[in-house]
Amino acid sequence: MAGKKIMLTGDRPSGRLHIGHYVGSLAQRLELQDDPDFEKVFVMLADAQALTDNFDDPEKVRESVFQVAIDYLSVGLDPAKTNMFIQSEVPQLHELTVYYMNLVTVARAQRNPTIKTEIQLRGFGESVPMGFLNYPISQASDITFCKATTVPVGEDQEPLLEQCREIVRRFNYIYGEDVLIEPEIYLSKKEVCRRLPGTDGQAKMSKSLGNTIYLSDSEEELKTKVMSMYTDPGHLRVEDPGKVEGNTVFTYLECFCKDEDFEKYLPEYKNLEEMKDHYRRGGLGDVKCKKFLFNVLNDFLTPIRERRAYYEAHPEEVVEVLIQGTKEARKAAEETLAEVKKAMRIDYFKQWNTQYGTENVDSYC
Ligand code: TRP
């Protein structure tokens, strides 16, 4: 029987998704879409949020909406279980944002650690767009419109979840009803997967750094990227002892390889622990490790590539999935917005209708 939990999460469509997105968030969504405790599952293409720092490049956002939708379907998000929808097509989200904006001070918005880092990264300086500063408030609407209990995201999003919980508490306190629900973050159980480093060993995968492996990369692209990955700079000769901590090849193996992969590709070891021990002792070369990682990742990406090819050949099915998902999201958002307006005493026509029996009121509310 279906349970009471509701999952919502989303991505900014400003580029294709990569394997860091997979281990950090997509894998958790796949798990929850099959969890009977979850009554509803929503995954949002946050195009309005992507526009807060890409407003001058709408074509990129538009193209990414479609590509990310294909990424979702390719990794196995199932439209029968997960509602995939487009943020800007659910106008009730923006209405909620307007009311939530009153519940957050300018100082609080500026103090948000995620926002502070992002402002620096983007070099906005003093010229931060109002919409950008406001996006954590808009994200609170994204989360609360469906009364989400559970939000699978990377750990960098925790300050945004905290901001959302503050808004929920303030709303419920001021308007005197338990209308909104406080959400919880849902992180990968494996800590190393929460933030996958780039192929160059930098802390984060990002398109601008050119250190990403995309879910849509071809076999050749994958090979080139894996073979030039960052390992242990002190491991010069095969015989030298090597470090596995901070060694990107081993971090990726930690997230992706299974014991069966050893049987198939590297039978001299039973599992990753044995392989690591050998690397630490010395005598295991980087090229061998990289070839193994390539095979592991290639096996992981092959079915994803196949499903991608299918959806690229059937774009009309992708559109259909988004239309259905967006309809479901609108329905949930309308219900929550009605409750919010009632709690805020701005459900005028509905209330006057009950009070005065006004005619023709149904067409307004
Ligand atoms: N901020 C998220 C990111 O950068 C995307 C996002 C938008 C989101 N709205 C959301 C995530 C609501 C979770 C819930 O990846």
Side-chain angles (χ1 to χ4, degrees), residues 161-172:
L161 270 274
E162 188 47 35
Q163 174 70 87
C164 177
R165 288 189 286 266
E166 276 177 38
I167 291 173
V168 167
R169 285 196 285 270
R170 225 166 133 63
F171 184 98
N172 287 343

Side-chain angles (χ1 to χ4, degrees), residues 148-194:
T149 55
T150 312
V151 184
V153 276
E155 56 188 348
D156 61 315
Q157 297 286 303
E158 177 52 31
L160 297 169
L161 270 274
E162 188 47 35
Q163 174 70 87
C164 177
R165 288 189 286 266
E166 276 177 38
I167 291 173
V168 167
R169 285 196 285 270
R170 225 166 133 63
F171 184 98
N172 287 343
Y173 176 74
I174 295 172
Y175 302 110
E177 292 185 39
D178 276 336
V179 177
L180 303 177
I181 302 284
E182 286 189 44
E184 276 175 18
I185 196 164
Y186 188 76
L187 295 168
S188 167
K189 290 185 188 81
K190 265 200 195 167
E191 219 172 312
V192 285
C193 301
R194 291 184 187 167

Side-chain angles (χ1 to χ4, degrees), residues 218-259:
S218 68
E219 195 167 324
E220 296 69 51
E221 284 168 320
L222 178 67
K223 188 166 251 161
T224 314
K225 289 181 182 179
V226 171
M227 294 317 283
S228 59
M229 265 174 78
Y230 176 86
T231 56
D232 169 12
H235 187 238
L236 296 174
R237 282 166 310 223
V238 175
E239 323 79 78
D240 291 342
K243 271 215 281 285
V244 297
E245 287 73 28
N247 183 326
T248 317
V249 170
F250 281 94
T251 308
Y252 284 21
L253 284 174
E254 201 81 64
C255 293
F256 286 97
C257 85
K258 302 178 290 302
D259 291 354

Side-chain angles (χ1 to χ4, degrees), residues 8-12 44 46 49 139 142-143 151 153 157 160:
L8 175 124
T9 190
D11 300 277
R12 274 185 212 176
M44 180 179 68
Q49 187 176 117
Q139 186 154 326
D142 304 338
I143 295 170
V151 184
V153 276
Q157 297 286 303
L160 297 169

